[in-house]
Amino acid sequence: MTKFVDTTLRDGQQSIIATRMKTSEFEPVLKDFDTVGFHSMEVWGGATYDSCIRYLNEDPWERLKTIRKKLKNTQIQMLLRGQNIVGYRNYADDVVELFINKVADYGMDIIRVFDALNDIRNLKKSIEVAKKRNIHVQGAISYTISPVHNLEFYLNYAKELIDHGVDSIVIKDMAGLLTPKMAYDLVKELKRKYNVPIELHSHNTAGMASIAYQAAIDAGVDLIDTALSPFANASSQPAVEPFNFALGEPLDSDKLYDLAHYFWKVRENHIEDDMRMVSIDSRILKAQIPGGMFSNLVSQLKAQKMLHLLDEVLEEVPRVRKDLGYPPLVTPTSQIVGVQAVLNVMYKERYKSITKEVKNYLKGMYGRPPAPVDEELLKKALGNEKPIDCRPADLLKPEIEKARNEICVLAETDEDLLTYILFGEVGKKYLKDKYEKEIQVDFELVEETEDFVEDESIYPV
């Protein structure tokens, strides 16, 4: 029997209201969630950490502590961006180790790890540390479509993940591009070849997720990611209620309806940030961008008074993606491709301005591109410089002690230190507000991406 994973408190609200839900808005019903019967709940990671410190003035670790305390019968899980952790660049191994060990201390049951390029080298350290702490590690296949991304590619990558010790596999279809046929074939083959649970995660932005889910269920998928209806569909996951009904109501339907009623009121609190997507957007099938990237792209263009360029940007995104060797569009590659596409349209000349992130991507600093990159772009961006061929994190020096010396008394705990390392000046400002302290910090950990990007979470997924 297919089991349910709830995403309401992480990807559901991230996709619909840009991760603006406060802990106080969901804390009163955590005990109700705990009695529904979910296999697990995705409650942390992704953009939640960033949003807590950037917009909500909340301690993300206190949020996690509250959730763990109230969810006594339900497993909790988080989304981890591999070597990017919950940030937007590669961090040194010592930072990965500290972060995962802290997560383990707070009682995390499952960590879903993914790499935007499906480069296993970027996941080795996080898998290794999590396994040492007896955390269930779920390896994610970042799904996309391109000339090189086919059934064989994904089966081979699943084997790499399993060979490195993951306990389960999730097909992470962030742009909602998975067709029913591919969902059936991929799940069927994964089940046939590998003796681990298989999960499906998709977004309904293009309208295909629900039918892909049914095809996956027919193929024997073990788990599906769904959200309560107020934070489902559109650019989020399919709604839990109809699937629960169709599968014979293994979950407590009355509790689901009560929770849905409650969260419709919560959603009303966030009208300004609400995606308000009333139907599918078929443009996604061509642009191939994930729900979180689309909603935040619209928001960013509005803020820059450039919303009229949206159609041009959506046309440019797949062209940039092709030039970069068809990376799946998920954090951080969604930012890299999205911002460069905007610049290409804004300047009315392709690659007149090339972001530092695109240059670093072409250098191999984010990992190995799935396909060869455009040679002209490579030459224009790097000149005679050659891309690296090692694991990107091997080039990073340990960061923790240097950061500790720089931030000094402003970081009272390891959790504070991680906030600073992961988010630089944004983290520093949060800590100053938290403790009402003033301190001179010159150590800059975060580099901005051109003037266009005021917010590193422009397209968080």
Side-chain angles (χ1 to χ4, degrees), residues 211-438:
I211 49 176
Y213 274 30
Q214 185 56 58
I217 291 169
D218 293 341
V221 76
D222 297 285
L223 305 113
I224 53 173
D225 286 8
T226 57
L228 289 170
S229 50
F231 288 97
N233 294 317
S235 53
S236 180
Q237 284 73 61
V240 62
E241 296 93 333
F243 275 99
N244 183 51
F245 186 81
L247 293 177
E249 299 185 291
L251 304 179
D252 187 326
S253 296
D254 291 337
K255 284 283 175 62
L256 287 177
Y257 297 147
D258 290 344
L259 284 166
H261 179 71
Y262 177 89
F263 278 99
W264 277 119
K265 294 179 180 178
V266 171
R267 184 169 173 176
E268 289 172 4
N269 297 337
H270 299 276
I271 293 174
E272 291 301 314
D273 297 301
D274 199 315
M275 182 62 181
R276 284 181 279 189
M277 186 175 174
V278 297
S279 183
I280 67 166
D281 195 320
S282 59
R283 293 176 296 183
I284 300 303
L285 294 172
K286 185 175 182 181
Q288 300 179 13
I289 65 176
M293 177 181 175
F294 183 67
S295 59
N296 284 278
L297 175 60
V298 170
S299 175
Q300 185 74 1
L301 288 173
K302 279 182 181 177
Q304 299 289 332
K305 294 181 170 48
M306 293 192 295
L307 189 57
H308 61 285
L309 297 178
L310 178 60
D311 285 342
E312 291 181 65
V313 172
L314 292 178
E315 290 281 339
E316 180 65 9
V317 164
R319 290 196 285 262
V320 173
R321 180 171 170 259
K322 178 182 178 181
D323 292 342
L324 296 182
Y326 297 104
L329 294 182
V330 62
T331 303
T333 53
S334 51
Q335 292 101 312
I336 295 169
V337 172
V339 172
Q340 187 62 58
V342 169
L343 292 175
N344 287 357
V345 170
M346 187 173 69
Y347 286 122
K348 300 187 183 304
E349 180 182 335
R350 304 190 76 227
Y351 305 114
K352 179 178 181 179
S353 173
I354 301 176
T355 69
K356 291 192 292 288
E357 281 66 28
V358 166
K359 291 177 182 178
N360 283 334
Y361 173 93
L362 292 168
K363 288 178 187 177
M365 299 305 293
Y366 289 93
R368 187 183 297 111
V373 301
D374 182 80
E375 287 294 333
E376 287 187 22
L377 174 59
L378 187 67
K379 182 69 174 177
K380 185 173 185 179
L382 301 187
N384 294 323
E385 186 176 358
K386 298 295 183 184
I388 67 170
D389 59 3
C390 63
R391 184 180 77 115
D394 288 342
L395 302 177
L396 300 177
K397 297 178 181 178
E399 297 184 52
I400 288 176
E401 289 309 311
K402 183 176 182 181
R404 199 188 301 278
N405 292 334
E406 294 290 341
I407 198 68
C408 301
V409 296
L410 191 55
E412 295 191 357
T413 65
D414 284 342
E415 290 89 335
D416 290 342
L417 181 64
L418 284 165
T419 293
Y420 176 63
I421 293 172
L422 292 169
F423 295 101
E425 288 302 308
V426 172
K428 172 189 167 186
K429 180 182 182 302
Y430 164 79
L431 294 173
K432 286 171 66 176
D433 291 342
K434 178 180 177 180
Y435 297 118
E436 297 183 348
K437 293 179 180 178
E438 289 291 335

Side-chain angles (χ1 to χ4, degrees), residues 56-69:
L56 306 180
N57 195 30
E58 288 188 15
D59 187 332
W61 297 97
E62 285 299 316
R63 171 179 287 204
L64 180 55
K65 185 187 296 183
T66 297
I67 292 170
R68 177 72 286 174
K69 182 179 178 180

Side-chain angles (χ1 to χ4, degrees), residues 65-92:
K65 185 187 296 183
T66 297
I67 292 170
R68 177 72 286 174
K69 182 179 178 180
K70 297 289 181 71
L71 294 180
K72 297 180 179 180
N73 304 306
T74 307
Q75 296 185 101
I76 61 171
Q77 67 183 67
M78 70 163 294
L79 182 68
L80 187 82
R81 300 166 184 155
Q83 208 71 31
N84 292 170
I85 310 179
V86 291
Y88 307 99
R89 65 173 176 88
N90 281 332
Y91 299 91

Side-chain angles (χ1 to χ4, degrees), residues 44-46 48-50 60-61 64 78-87 91-106 108 111-113 126 129-130 133 135 400 414-415 417-419 421-423:
W44 209 68
T48 60
Y49 199 120
D50 186 339
W61 297 97
L64 180 55
M78 70 163 294
L79 182 68
L80 187 82
R81 300 166 184 155
Q83 208 71 31
N84 292 170
I85 310 179
V86 291
Y91 299 91
D93 287 343
D94 62 339
V95 182
V96 175
E97 290 181 14
L98 178 60
F99 185 90
I100 294 177
N101 277 312
K102 278 296 170 186
V103 165
D105 290 343
Y106 278 73
M108 189 66 66
I111 294 181
R112 175 179 294 176
V113 295
S126 53
V129 179
R133 292 302 304 269
I135 294 175
I400 288 176
D414 284 342
E415 290 89 335
L417 181 64
L418 284 165
T419 293
I421 293 172
L422 292 169
F423 295 101

Side-chain angles (χ1 to χ4, degrees), residues 99-283:
F99 185 90
I100 294 177
N101 277 312
K102 278 296 170 186
V103 165
D105 290 343
Y106 278 73
M108 189 66 66
D109 297 300
I110 302 167
I111 294 181
R112 175 179 294 176
V113 295
F114 78 92
D115 178 65
L117 298 177
N118 292 315
D119 189 336
I120 195 67
R121 300 175 302 171
N122 291 332
L123 299 181
K124 286 181 178 180
K125 178 55 68 172
S126 53
I127 294 172
E128 171 194 322
V129 179
K131 292 291 288 182
K132 285 181 180 178
R133 292 302 304 269
N134 296 316
I135 294 175
H136 177 110
V137 181
Q138 184 175 77
I141 296 169
S142 295
Y143 182 83
T144 189
I145 53 177
S146 81
V148 298
H149 291 94
N150 52 30
L151 184 62
E152 182 181 9
F153 176 95
Y154 291 123
L155 292 175
N156 289 338
Y157 184 58
K159 184 177 186 304
E160 283 191 279
L161 289 167
I162 292 168
D163 287 346
H164 281 81
V166 303
D167 301 291
S168 62
I169 295 288
V170 61
I171 303 162
K172 182 176 170 59
D173 176 29
M174 50 279 172
L177 301 174
L178 189 66
T179 65
K181 183 180 186 308
M182 186 59 168
Y184 183 90
D185 291 346
L186 182 51
V187 169
K188 198 74 173 176
E189 283 301 296
L190 287 170
K191 294 288 292 180
R192 183 181 70 83
K193 292 175 72 72
Y194 308 118
N195 187 31
V196 297
I198 306 299
E199 186 166 344
L200 178 56
H201 172 98
S202 187
H203 292 251
N204 210 37
T205 325
M208 288 199 298
S210 290
I211 49 176
Y213 274 30
Q214 185 56 58
I217 291 169
D218 293 341
V221 76
D222 297 285
L223 305 113
I224 53 173
D225 286 8
T226 57
L228 289 170
S229 50
F231 288 97
N233 294 317
S235 53
S236 180
Q237 284 73 61
V240 62
E241 296 93 333
F243 275 99
N244 183 51
F245 186 81
L247 293 177
E249 299 185 291
L251 304 179
D252 187 326
S253 296
D254 291 337
K255 284 283 175 62
L256 287 177
Y257 297 147
D258 290 344
L259 284 166
H261 179 71
Y262 177 89
F263 278 99
W264 277 119
K265 294 179 180 178
V266 171
R267 184 169 173 176
E268 289 172 4
N269 297 337
H270 299 276
I271 293 174
E272 291 301 314
D273 297 301
D274 199 315
M275 182 62 181
R276 284 181 279 189
M277 186 175 174
V278 297
S279 183
I280 67 166
D281 195 320
S282 59
R283 293 176 296 183

